Amino acid sequence: MRSYFVGAGFNTRGLQNIGFSYAMQPGLEAIYDDHTELVKARKRYVKHYNSHPFWAPLLVAVFLSVELKIKEGLFPVQLLDKLKNTTSYTLSAIGDSVFAGSGLIFWALATVNLLLAGHHKQAMLLGVVMFCGLQIFKGFTFWSGINKGLGFLDELKKWDLINWGERLKYANGFLVLLIWFQLWPRPLNGFEWYGGTAALGVFGWLVATGKIAREIVAVLVVGIGLLTIYLL
């Protein structure tokens, strides 16, 4: 439960370190009976920390598993900082791409599609299902991190989350097109529809290949839209 508050006390020096050390506290107290060793362990987690919040339960569990190995003399404490930074930053990049950059956007776009189609109950149900799915994901990764430790990170590679994030982005592109179709004034003019779709495809290709900045594309799209409204 404490991992849900990992963003609390966010600061410019340690970023999420206060919330993360708060989440680690009960586990560290359970591992170390000696107060001196407990103080040393606490200091290891008040340093700089930052990662995607959806990974917080997994990271708490993995580092508690590592602390057990440190106590047993099976893991050198000198390597902990390097492990912590590498793991948290790698998962942060994956989380930003898959969760923030793909999954949450998919939920938002799908919800808009359903609402525009008049399916209000289905839109609410989608939100509930995805929220519950996130809690199951957090619970599963926490359990796996505690029981499998660093070994679970190897299993995580096999999930191929980066490529799944790319696939979701293609789905998001389709959902954006569907929203555009739902909002398009009726009657639907084929020339305007296919012409506009082709233009967006060209703009997307130009942005993806770095031939033009996305800000310029945004200005062009808005400008063309305003010009069309004015002419009509």
Side-chain angles (χ1 to χ4, degrees):
M1 291 301 297
R2 288 189 175 216
S3 69
Y4 283 82
F5 300 95
V6 73
F10 187 89
N11 60 92
T12 55
R13 182 176 182 180
L15 300 183
Q16 301 177 23
N17 64 325
I18 295 176
F20 188 69
S21 60
Y22 171 77
M24 292 290 295
Q25 178 66 19
L28 295 177
E29 290 179 348
I31 293 172
Y32 294 102
D33 298 323
D34 183 81
H35 181 70
T36 303
E37 293 299 320
L38 175 60
V39 170
K40 291 180 181 179
R42 284 174 177 167
K43 289 182 179 180
R44 292 197 279 269
Y45 296 98
V46 294
K47 300 178 182 179
H48 182 276
Y49 167 83
N50 191 48
S51 192
H52 195 280
F54 289 3
W55 289 121
L58 171 62
L59 289 170
V60 169
V62 166
F63 292 130
L64 287 177
S65 174
V66 171
E67 284 295 334
L68 285 170
K69 294 186 181 296
I70 291 175
K71 182 183 179 182
E72 296 169 0
L74 301 176
F75 187 91
V77 69
Q78 295 84 357
L79 295 179
L80 180 62
D81 282 345
K82 184 176 181 180
L83 171 68
K84 184 159 72 76
N85 292 334
T86 302
T87 305
S88 60
Y89 287 140
T90 301
L91 290 180
S92 178
I94 295 174
D96 289 341
S97 176
V98 178
F99 300 131
S102 301
L104 289 175
I105 293 175
F106 176 83
W107 163 72
L109 292 174
T111 300
V112 172
N113 286 140
L114 290 170
L115 291 175
L116 289 175
H119 302 305
H120 296 176
K121 292 182 179 178
Q122 290 84 343
M124 179 63 71
L125 180 61
L126 175 64
V128 171
V129 169
M130 296 198 75
F131 178 79
C132 292
L134 175 60
Q135 312 319 310
I136 293 172
F137 172 81
K138 287 185 173 183
F140 173 75
T141 53
F142 180 81
W143 179 89
S144 299
I146 284 289
N147 289 278
K148 300 180 181 179
L150 292 173
F152 181 65
L153 298 179
D154 291 328
E155 294 185 20
L156 203 58
K157 294 179 182 178
K158 300 177 182 178
W159 290 13
D160 198 23
L161 291 176
I162 289 294
N163 286 330
W164 276 109
E166 289 297 320
R167 296 184 186 103
L168 267 180
K169 287 175 182 177
Y170 285 116
N172 291 341
F174 172 77
L175 292 178
V176 169
L177 191 62
L178 182 58
I179 290 174
W180 194 28
F181 178 79
Q182 290 172 307
L183 294 175
W184 196 269
R186 296 301 192 272
L188 187 64
N189 185 301
F191 174 77
E192 293 176 349
W193 170 255
Y194 292 117
T197 303
L200 282 183
V202 171
F203 284 142
W205 176 78
L206 290 172
V207 171
T209 55
K211 299 182 183 301
I212 189 172
R214 66 182 67 188
E215 292 80 7
I216 296 176
V217 171
V219 171
L220 287 174
V221 170
V222 173
I224 292 171
L226 293 175
L227 180 62
T228 303
I229 293 172
Y230 175 76
L231 294 176
L232 293 177

